[in-house]
Amino acid sequence: MFYAVKVKFTPEVEEGKPKTFKYEYLVEDVAIEGVHAQIAKEWEGTASGEWVVISVKETNITKVIYAP
């Protein structure tokens, strides 16, 4: 099963208002719990700031075909 996952990241800034970035991922797993674990692993050790999963949606995608 493939899931469309949206993550919001707010980096720490020394001055001014922090800018928020949104990222989208396509994650394959058998359950939503595994999706959250994969996203946490992906963000492990990244730049300082706060990230949060804002949505996880099941997709109708059955297969991803990669370019050679």
Side-chain angles (χ1 to χ4, degrees), residues 35-57:
V35 171
H36 283 279
Q38 287 189 57
I39 293 295
K41 185 177 179 181
E42 177 73 20
W43 281 88
E44 185 178 287
T46 59
S48 61
E50 182 178 321
W51 65 270
V52 63
V53 173
I54 55 176
S55 73
V56 178
K57 291 183 182 179

Side-chain angles (χ1 to χ4, degrees), residues 15-27:
E15 296 180 13
K17 184 178 177 183
K19 185 174 181 178
T20 299
F21 300 91
K22 292 183 182 176
Y23 299 93
E24 293 186 45
Y25 295 90
L26 182 63
V27 180

